[in-house]
Amino acid sequence: MTIKNNIPLKPFNTFGIDVNASQFAAINSVEDLKDVLNTNPSDILILGGGSNILLTKDVDALVLQINLKGIRVLSELENRVQIEVAAGENWHEFVCWCLKENFGGLENLSLIPGNVGTAPIQNIGAYGVELKDSFVSCEALHIQTKELKVFTKEDCNFGYRNSIFKQELKGQYIITSVVFELSSQHHILKTNYGAIESKLENTGIKTPTIQDVSKAVISIRNSKLPDPKIIGNSGSFFKNPVVSASKFQILQSQFQLIPHYNVSEDSIKIPAAWLIDTAGFKGKTFGNFGVHTKQALVLVNYGGASGKDILTLSLQIQKAVKLIFDIDLETEVNIL
Ligand code: EPU
């Protein structure tokens, strides 16, 4: 393992922001990780797939690219299987491996950018499924003590795009592997998310397999979300806000068509995409950056934009949404 100086981070973040890291090391084993931490770096930044980060300036820290690899079946019992996956495995490639082995549970999470090790941090989710639904535990290295610790699902305190690793333990641990429990037969499909149902109906599939669900999800995602290899982006830039029932009533009296989902009796989730769209930002471009034409929740770098450009746009959006709807949009992406 070598520590390199002054390394461009453009290839390592899906927004394609061109900034440099003062120091950079690729981590291929847990031993590498311990060694590099033993050099007592003053500041570190962990890069998984670089798919949930906006870099607004050069990074004056040791950037660790987690390349830990390996997928291992731990146990197979009746129709359940437990699989341990190293943190550096690409998320979608892992989902494809599961589908090839006919292991079910992650098909709705097809094509999400990023790596396995960063997926629990924000409890990735899509089309009615979240990582926590198949998560058993993860192993993580404590940055200060260099000790490995196992976190159960309960320990992780998962919420909507949230976990203990984004809250109390932020910046304290590096996830090295994750254990999932999946079905090996009698798969339970989650196809009740509107777009999946209609996609399957359109293709004439009556008894879909997990592979069919994955194909439907991939097709829906491809129709709305830009491929980061072509247009720089980080998926949803903001979280969908949750408001109280009384607040929602006021909004609904002004905006009759406001889409919403009930989270509990007194909390209602509103799609941030609709708020941004209604505020007039969808498809807006400002030179080489802007708001995606097909999904207002996705900010895009058409090439050469700086992180500050995107940040300024995000602040403008937050200001407009606050002014029109009196709602504070929270970012989903980590801004650095
Ligand atoms: N909508 C608009 N304008 C748009 C896009 C959407 O008005 O430009 C409205 C529509 O009413 C639509 C609703 O917003 O029905 C919801 O849109 P969509 O189904 O595309 O989902 P989303 O709430 O915008 C969330 C996740 C996505 C995930 C999809 C599908 C968050 C922040 N985002 O998006 O996750 O793929 O649902 O489950 O929860 C990500 O986290 O990076 C991500 C892409």
Side-chain angles (χ1 to χ4, degrees), residues 51-52 108 112-113 122 124-129 160-161 193 195 221 224-225 234-240 257 259 261 269-278 282 292-298 332:
S51 59
N52 203 37
N108 294 46
I112 294 186
Q122 63 151 343
I124 58 168
Y127 307 103
V129 173
Y160 166 58
R161 297 294 190 277
Y193 201 94
R221 288 188 75 98
K224 290 188 186 178
L225 300 169
S234 250
S236 300
F237 196 90
F238 302 100
K239 289 191 202 178
N240 287 330
L257 296 177
Y261 321 96
K269 195 182 265 187
I270 301 172
W274 184 86
L275 301 170
I276 300 167
D277 196 345
T278 308
K282 186 170 178 175
H292 189 47
T293 47
K294 296 179 189 153
Q295 225 300 3
L297 196 45
V298 180
E332 188 194 281

Side-chain angles (χ1 to χ4, degrees), residues 194-322:
I196 298 187
E197 235 165 32
S198 48
K199 191 95 223 165
L200 290 169
E201 256 167 45
N202 290 345
T203 38
I205 296 167
K206 298 246 153 45
T207 46
T209 61
I210 52 173
Q211 291 78 7
D212 293 328
V213 173
S214 169
K215 273 188 209 146
V217 167
I218 289 174
S219 157
I220 299 163
R221 288 188 75 98
N222 279 337
S223 70
K224 290 188 186 178
L225 300 169
D227 179 350
K229 287 194 197 95
I230 301 166
I231 301 176
N233 77 92
S234 250
S236 300
F237 196 90
F238 302 100
K239 289 191 202 178
N240 287 330
V242 174
V243 299
S244 67
S246 55
K247 164 91 187 163
F248 180 72
Q249 262 186 354
I250 299 170
L251 283 167
Q252 205 177 28
S253 66
Q254 290 172 285
F255 306 94
Q256 280 83 22
L257 296 177
I258 188 166
H260 57 281
Y261 321 96
N262 292 340
V263 180
S264 70
E265 217 166 276
D266 188 45
S267 44
I268 290 152
K269 195 182 265 187
I270 301 172
W274 184 86
L275 301 170
I276 300 167
D277 196 345
T278 308
F281 281 94
K282 186 170 178 175
K284 277 221 165 160
T285 49
F286 304 84
N288 51 5
F289 63 98
V291 179
H292 189 47
T293 47
K294 296 179 189 153
Q295 225 300 3
L297 196 45
V298 180
L299 306 191
V300 287
N301 171 12
Y302 290 108
S306 71
K308 285 207 174 78
D309 291 335
I310 310 270
L311 178 63
T312 307
L313 171 59
S314 76
L315 294 172
Q316 240 178 297
I317 291 173
Q318 279 172 322
K319 204 169 154 194
V321 167
K322 177 76 180 169

Side-chain angles (χ1 to χ4, degrees), residues 6 15 49 56 63 93 103-104 109 115 117 124 238 243 248 286 313:
N6 220 16
F15 248 124
T56 60
V63 173
E93 283 170 23
F103 295 151
L109 305 179
N115 286 355
I124 58 168
F238 302 100
V243 299
F248 180 72
F286 304 84
L313 171 59

Side-chain angles (χ1 to χ4, degrees), residues 105 167 169 183:
Q167 301 295 332
L169 298 184
S183 53

